[in-house]
Structure formats: C-alpha cells, structure tokens
Amino acid sequence: MKISKVVFPVGGLGKRFFPITGAIPKEMLGIIDKPLIHYAFEEAVAAGIEEFIFVTRHGKDSIEDYFDYMFSHSEYFNIKMGSVCYVRQNEPLGLGHAVLCAKNLIGNEPFAVMSADDFISHDKSCIGEMIKFYDGSNMAASMNVPRQDVSKYGILDVDCETDRLVVAKSVDEKPSVESAKSTHAIVGRYLLSNEIFDVLSRLKPGAGGEIQLTDALLEMIPSHGLVGFKFEGKRFDCGSKEGLLSAILHVAHKSENLRHVVENFYKGES
Ligand code: G1P
C-alpha cells in the first residue's frame, strides 16, 4: 500500500536536554555532522515518502532553516526535492495532540509518523520495511525492552505473533513494571489510518496529562487492529543523554574515518 506522507512531531520541549534545548531544538542535536531530524528524514525518503509535514512550535525555527538549506543543496545532501509543510503545535500537549495538528494536511489516506528521537541504524529504512508489511491495520515499530524499562513506553498486550509481526489485543501507555502485559514496546515509527484523527479529536488526556497516540491506537483496535512490526537494526533513544551518546559512538565506530577515534579513546590514547 502506498504511503506518501509523513508527520514529524518536532514540538516537544526536550526537557532532558536542558539547558542546550533552551536555544536548540532537540531534533537539531547532532550525531556527528547531521542533526537527528536529518536521519529520520533520510529514512522517510528511502521509503519513497514524498510529502513531509513537520509539527513544530515556537523556538524550533532552526529546523525550517535547516531544511531550506538542505533543499537548496539537494545535490550535496543527495535527497530528492519533496514538498515540505510546517504546522504549529501551540501547546505541548503530547504526541497524540501533535499528530492531530497535522489533520488538515493529511486528507483521506493512511500516513506515517516518525519520531526523530528514535534513531534506528540499519542499512534498510525501518519505515520503508514497515510499508512493505502494511495491510491497513494501524502499525507501530516494536522491540523487546528490559522489564524495568516498560514504564517509558507504550506496551503491547500480545494476541499472537509471527517472526516479523506482533498482533496486539491491547496497548497501554507507560504501564508500571507490575502491570505491564509484555515487554513488547512501541518505538517511534507508525503507519496510521486517517480515521485516527476523529479518535484523537475527542480523546481526554491520558498518561502524564497528555493526549496520547497510544490511547487512540487502543480505541481503534476493534475497528482497525494494531500490529507491532519487529524491525531490524539498532535503535537508540536519542531523547536521553545516554542514548544520544551511544548513537554518536555507534555512528563514529561505523565510519572508516572516525573509528580510530573511538578505539583510541577506549585504549586511553585520547
Ligand atoms: C512516545 C510514545 C510511547 C512510545 C515512545 C517510543 O513516548 O508515547 O508509546 O513507546 O514514544 O519512543 P515518549 O518517549 O514521547 O514519552
């Protein structure tokens, strides 16, 4: 099934990176020479997505400047010219609210949502692989996490699974360790029916007082199902300092030009 539009929710406050996020959006934090949002953008382009919708807010103008620059140097960045739109999220009311802000730009078709915080390193595009498996059921990338970490994620209650897919009978946003039904966590890649906007527009705030995308996915299970996609590759939670630092080391170590810096550091030579 063709997916031509992606929503990038980039309106989050980036509190875990204060003070730098006082002036720099967390999506513009760098893994070596490219900001996080660039990696997510490249993954979307590699999936054949052609329209890019950024849900942004006050203080995030450097994302627009960055993509202006990128499109004027598209040969350098090796990225096809696409159509880019920006829509404002005036209040940080959560991921579900951010997605709802893109409603008027999506129309009557399924679409992708990608969180730049979740950096997925792989030679294939994660969202591109998801599109190959997409059959119209709502889908989220999914991975196993340590049980003590379940309260950071949306957690699937598994009905059945194959080698690549997990069919969920329920989903719970940030459950306690005791109440989590599994350790299958959602990470920030989604393929969604446009009917999710009706559900999001009447949702009450959920976990953390925010409008949660997970709550909309739960409500839609009877009508649209919910499938977790067991993606390949290594995922880094770049919304945390530990995750961003690990991603930087990972990318540096994969680079022929930079590997020696990482190796020398561990040998105590730098
Ligand atoms: C969001 C989602 C959560 C998901 C997580 C993945 O949470 O609400 O369901 O598991 O992203 O990164 P956040 O990290 O924004 O609190």
Side-chain angles (χ1 to χ4, degrees):
M1 201 178 283
K2 173 86 178 149
I3 301 282
S4 59
K5 296 184 182 177
V6 60
V7 175
F8 294 112
V10 294
L13 296 175
K15 280 187 199 153
R16 283 183 283 175
F17 281 100
F18 280 165
I20 193 168
T21 43
I24 297 174
K26 69 173 169 174
E27 298 78 11
M28 289 300 293
L29 296 177
I31 299 182
I32 317 285
D33 56 353
K34 293 191 247 178
L36 288 171
I37 190 66
H38 185 130
Y39 289 93
F41 190 88
E42 280 185 332
E43 189 186 316
V45 171
I49 290 173
E50 292 156 349
E51 291 184 53
F52 309 91
I53 299 159
F54 293 81
V55 180
T56 179
R57 71 168 178 89
H58 170 80
K60 300 272 183 164
D61 297 358
S62 59
I63 296 175
E64 296 179 42
D65 292 344
Y66 182 76
F67 282 98
D68 285 355
Y69 178 83
M70 212 172 92
F71 282 115
S72 64
H73 293 77
S74 55
E75 72 296 344
Y76 173 75
F77 286 104
N78 195 23
I79 283 176
K80 282 180 286 176
M81 182 65 102
S83 92
V84 178
C85 303
Y86 299 91
V87 57
R88 306 296 271 194
Q89 182 185 20
N90 289 328
E91 293 171 283
L93 296 180
L95 180 58
H97 177 256
V99 172
L100 182 59
C101 291
K103 177 180 176 181
N104 293 339
L105 297 169
I106 295 293
N108 205 8
E109 57 190 300
F111 63 102
V113 174
M114 297 175 68
S115 160
D117 287 6
D118 282 316
F119 168 59
I120 297 176
S121 172
H122 192 47
D123 52 359
K124 291 185 197 149
S125 160
C126 174
I127 198 78
E129 291 299 288
M130 287 173 66
I131 291 170
K132 288 184 195 158
F133 281 80
Y134 181 64
D135 68 357
S137 300
N138 286 330
M139 181 183 269
S142 162
M143 64 184 265
N144 257 307
V145 295
R147 183 156 274 274
Q148 70 266 21
D149 289 345
V150 289
S151 48
K152 296 180 188 163
Y153 298 96
I155 297 290
L156 303 173
D157 185 2
V158 180
D159 189 7
C160 57
E161 59 183 299
T162 64
D163 58 334
R164 297 306 302 275
L165 303 177
V166 179
V167 178
K169 55 183 172 199
S170 181
V171 63
D172 194 6
E173 179 67 13
K174 301 190 172 70
S176 64
V177 171
E178 298 71 32
S179 66
K181 297 282 190 333
S182 80
T183 54
H184 283 286
I186 290 176
V187 306
R189 302 286 182 276
Y190 304 84
L191 296 174
L192 302 173
S193 160
N194 65 302
E195 288 171 48
I196 203 161
F197 294 120
D198 290 340
V199 179
L200 286 170
S201 62
R202 53 185 160 70
L203 268 189
K204 300 259 178 320
E210 296 184 338
I211 306 290
Q212 296 290 354
L213 189 59
T214 304
D215 293 345
L217 294 175
L218 173 64
E219 196 176 318
M220 292 176 80
I221 287 178
S223 56
H224 290 76
L226 175 60
V227 174
F229 177 75
K230 298 185 213 172
F231 62 95
E232 295 170 330
K234 205 164 162 44
R235 173 260 183 183
F236 297 87
D237 172 13
C238 293
S240 75
K241 292 175 193 165
E242 297 82 354
L244 181 65
L245 180 57
S246 303
I248 292 168
L249 290 170
H250 170 85
V251 171
H253 197 257
K254 274 182 40 176
S255 148
E256 276 179 30
N257 297 332
L258 297 174
R259 184 172 306 127
H260 70 281
V261 179
V262 180
E263 289 175 351
N264 289 345
F265 179 82
Y266 283 111
K267 284 189 227 148
E269 292 173 8
S270 64

